[in-house]
Amino acid sequence: MSAEPIMEKVMEPVVPQVDPIDLLISFEEAAAPMPIRAEYLEETGIVPPQPDEEHSDVIAQLFLRLNTAGFPLAGFGMGFRAAHKDGRTQALLVPDFYVRRRRSTDLDEAYAKSHKGWYPIDMVALVGEVTSTNHEMDTGPKLRIYANAGVPVYVLIHRRKRTAHCFYDPETTGDDLTAGRYRAETKVTLGRPLPLPPPYPTLDTAPFLAD
């Protein structure tokens, strides 16, 4: 991606009554007719910059590898919601790619309808991000949120450091999203195979090296 994301801190108690979903809708309406898909994490609304060619190519390669390896529920573009135990929205995320546990059920569709297009995050078994200009977002807040939400596997392609990471064995911490972490990590230099935990295939990262 070629620009820094737009970020807006949601400060309590100035707008405690605003659901983050409605905050993101206001972002998207303000950006019209330019299509965007905003995210919400750690009390911050984010409008990611448009992906550049390299970012899009890496995502396409990862999706194809997972799909051809026998994971038909690999995909991209869906948004997922992490919720507090009292029902409040804690995070709204659109992973660069993912593998779902299941096709959406009637309950999932009802959930998405009641939350204006956001599906429950427990639908995903693996998520992946490809870093953009704001590398810290994928290596910090998103990693912590995915772990705390119990997402079993998080794959990260770090374009600046030219490394690939697989985080697994999440440790959830309940109310404090900022304390989530993964107990295990596999890291390789781009160009080397990245082992993923079963049942996923080892990822060949050689195609992710820039020419």
Side-chain angles (χ1 to χ4, degrees):
M1 298 183 185
S2 57
E4 293 296 332
I6 300 170
M7 304 168 61
E8 180 173 324
K9 188 75 173 180
V10 183
M11 301 295 293
E12 299 273 355
V14 177
V15 287
Q17 76 282 4
V18 176
D19 189 297
I21 293 174
D22 295 321
L23 172 70
L24 299 195
I25 289 173
S26 69
F27 283 2
E28 292 162 5
E29 289 176 345
M34 182 180 71
I36 64 169
R37 190 72 192 271
E39 297 177 295
Y40 176 80
L41 51 158
E42 296 187 352
E43 299 186 344
T44 303
I46 300 171
V47 179
Q50 292 297 308
D52 60 21
E53 182 179 27
E54 181 185 350
H55 186 273
S56 297
D57 287 348
V58 172
I59 293 170
Q61 292 276 359
L62 289 165
F63 163 73
L64 288 172
R65 276 164 173 68
L66 289 166
N67 191 268
T68 56
F71 294 90
L73 297 183
F76 52 88
M78 290 174 65
F80 299 97
R81 175 180 180 265
H84 188 275
K85 60 186 177 183
D86 65 8
R88 289 183 290 114
T89 298
Q90 285 190 306
L92 301 166
L93 299 162
V94 185
D96 284 332
F97 62 97
Y98 47 78
V99 176
R100 287 172 288 152
R101 300 177 189 271
R102 60 183 184 268
R103 295 192 181 278
S104 62
T105 64
D106 289 344
L107 285 176
D108 293 325
E109 292 300 327
Y111 183 102
K113 183 177 180 180
S114 67
H115 294 98
K116 303 178 183 180
W118 297 90
Y119 286 86
I121 201 166
D122 68 359
M123 285 183 65
V124 291
L126 176 150
V127 294
E129 300 285 357
V130 178
T131 62
S132 58
T133 51
N134 191 11
H135 307 268
E136 293 78 12
M137 198 61 63
D138 295 324
T139 59
K142 286 189 177 182
L143 185 150
R144 294 190 290 268
I145 291 168
Y146 288 137
N148 201 52
V151 176
V153 181
Y154 175 34
V155 176
L156 173 68
I157 305 299
H158 201 304
R159 295 163 67 195
R160 174 184 289 174
K161 293 185 177 179
R162 298 169 71 85
T163 54
H165 308 252
C166 174
F167 300 93
Y168 56 99
D169 192 13
E171 180 179 14
T172 61
T173 57
D175 294 348
D176 185 4
L177 285 182
T178 65
R181 69 183 187 94
Y182 286 91
R183 298 183 183 92
E185 175 191 2
T186 301
K187 173 184 174 182
V188 299
T189 302
L190 282 184
R192 300 182 62 85
L194 176 66
L196 303 184
Y200 303 105
T202 295
L203 288 181
D204 176 13
T205 70
F208 308 145
L209 291 171
D211 292 338

